[in-house]
Amino acid sequence: MRDRPEEFDQGLLRPALREWGIDADRLDYAPVGFGDYHWVADERWFVTVADVRRKSYDELGRAMDTAAALSEEAGLDFVVAPLRAADGATLRRLDRHRYAMSVFPLLGGAAGHFGEEQAPDERAIVIDLLAELHRTPAPLSTPVRPVELANRAWLEDAIQETNRPWLGGPYAEPARELIAEHAGVLRRRLADLDRLADKTGESVVTHGEPHPGNLLRAGERRLLVDWDTVGLAVPERDLWLVARDPADLARYADATGHTPDPTALELYRLRWALDDVAEFVAWFRSPHGRTPDAEQSWDGLSGTLEGLAR
């Protein structure tokens, strides 16, 4: 996140880092990513703080344990996994109710950004990584990622509540008007999601968000970061974000023996868009200001609704 968490006490980080054997002299806020908050400790460690009111602490802990197991036990060297604390934990609560922390090695390299168009040779590299991941037996900690829209109730409630003012901040009323304008589109697209979700397949370990923003280019190596969405699902949960033409899908099929299902690819493309709308709506119906992250969320909501209406 580009916005620092206003209510968060950075003083909680140093004593927590000691559980990883890190006595940090310097902590610098890193305004990167979207959803979690990040610091760099002594230019050696990357510290991620999650708001566990917005995501399940237990599920996040299982995801971090899964990433660690994929790196340590399965030997997947492209997995940027959390480091283990002295007691083996990959996730630690920083307070009683709201914040939890993981620690990662700080690696050199450059990440892309969501929506960036990748060249065919770059897509081939990522497809090969995903094929290796999908062939890997699932660690016992791996969460199941249901196809059902996690925040569907938020979205359906928002559609129903467009006849009364929304409170929360400067984007609340514009968001209400935008959802009201697209209410019919959203209802149709939710029905499409239900229709597509009838088809299921064999589950594998999926990353969940293998877009260019989560791909670190380190020389000739490509590394996948942000494993908080790792989980058991059909391969198309990952592939729709990477594959752009039949050659990409054929490459994956040759590597795994699984021919990607066009219906499942469409399902996860639609699910992503609807999930984004639900997240943005929840943001704008909660207290917020006119900040860089709020502006990015507004652009995301507007663009996603335009895409769903096409």
Side-chain angles (χ1 to χ4, degrees):
M1 300 288 279
R2 288 178 287 177
D3 304 340
R4 294 180 68 122
E6 294 181 359
E7 302 173 8
F8 179 70
D9 179 8
Q10 184 174 305
L12 296 171
L13 295 178
R14 282 190 171 85
L17 282 167
R18 294 190 187 104
E19 298 187 39
W20 276 265
I22 300 169
D23 194 6
D25 292 322
R26 180 175 175 178
L27 284 169
D28 297 306
Y29 186 70
V32 297
F34 192 86
D36 293 333
Y37 304 98
H38 307 284
W39 282 260
V40 173
D42 289 347
E43 299 184 351
R44 293 182 59 192
W45 297 280
F46 191 73
V47 180
T48 294
V49 173
D51 185 343
V52 292
R53 297 181 311 173
R54 298 178 61 85
K55 58 179 71 174
S56 163
Y57 175 82
D58 290 339
E59 191 169 271
L60 180 59
R62 292 180 64 196
M64 293 297 97
D65 287 346
T66 299
L70 290 171
S71 174
E72 298 164 354
E73 299 169 19
L76 301 185
D77 61 2
F78 58 86
V79 176
V80 180
L83 303 173
R84 294 190 183 276
D87 63 354
T90 58
L91 183 70
R92 269 281 186 270
R93 286 192 181 272
L94 292 171
D95 56 17
R96 183 172 297 180
H97 300 294
R98 184 166 184 181
Y99 293 109
M101 183 180 86
S102 291
V103 181
F104 300 81
L106 182 64
L107 302 175
H113 56 83
F114 179 76
E116 175 184 339
E117 190 62 35
Q118 293 177 302
D121 58 342
E122 190 75 10
R123 296 199 305 270
I125 293 172
V126 181
I127 287 169
D128 290 347
L129 296 183
L130 292 176
E132 186 176 359
L133 173 66
H134 295 172
R135 292 194 304 262
T136 301
L140 292 177
S141 56
T142 310
V144 175
R145 302 295 183 183
V147 72
E148 292 81 7
L149 195 64
N151 299 317
R152 182 166 183 155
W154 296 357
L155 183 54
E156 292 179 331
D157 180 65
I159 296 169
Q160 294 294 326
E161 295 287 325
T162 54
N163 59 347
R164 64 185 70 182
W166 287 5
L167 305 176
Y171 290 98
E173 276 296 280
R176 180 187 64 80
E177 294 172 0
L178 199 58
I179 293 299
E181 179 185 344
H182 290 83
V185 169
L186 288 169
R187 291 189 180 99
R188 289 195 299 273
R189 301 304 270 157
L190 285 168
D192 290 341
L193 184 74
D194 292 339
R195 173 178 54 80
L196 294 169
D198 285 342
K199 187 175 180 61
T200 59
E202 184 178 352
S203 292
V204 298
V205 181
T206 59
H207 178 278
E209 298 185 353
H211 56 72
N214 287 333
L215 184 69
L216 190 66
R217 303 178 183 92
E220 295 299 315
R221 299 180 68 200
R222 297 296 182 269
L223 309 172
L224 280 171
V225 302
D226 279 5
W227 288 84
D228 57 303
T229 55
V230 67
L232 289 169
V234 294
E236 290 82 0
R237 179 177 185 242
D238 285 339
L239 292 173
W240 83 267
L241 274 160
V242 181
R244 290 292 176 268
D245 57 38
D248 295 335
L249 299 176
R251 185 182 187 94
Y252 180 84
D254 288 344
T256 64
H258 171 74
T259 300
D261 180 356
T263 300
L265 293 169
E266 182 184 355
L267 165 66
Y268 277 96
R269 184 177 294 107
L270 175 58
R271 187 188 186 282
W272 179 284
L274 290 171
D275 192 56
D276 270 357
V277 172
E279 288 283 352
F280 294 140
V281 165
W283 178 292
F284 292 132
R285 297 188 77 184
S286 302
H288 66 274
R290 195 175 295 278
T291 68
D293 286 330
E295 292 173 9
Q296 181 179 348
S297 295
W298 173 254
D299 291 342
L301 176 61
S302 304
T304 303
L305 288 172
E306 288 176 9
L308 286 169
R310 294 192 190 108

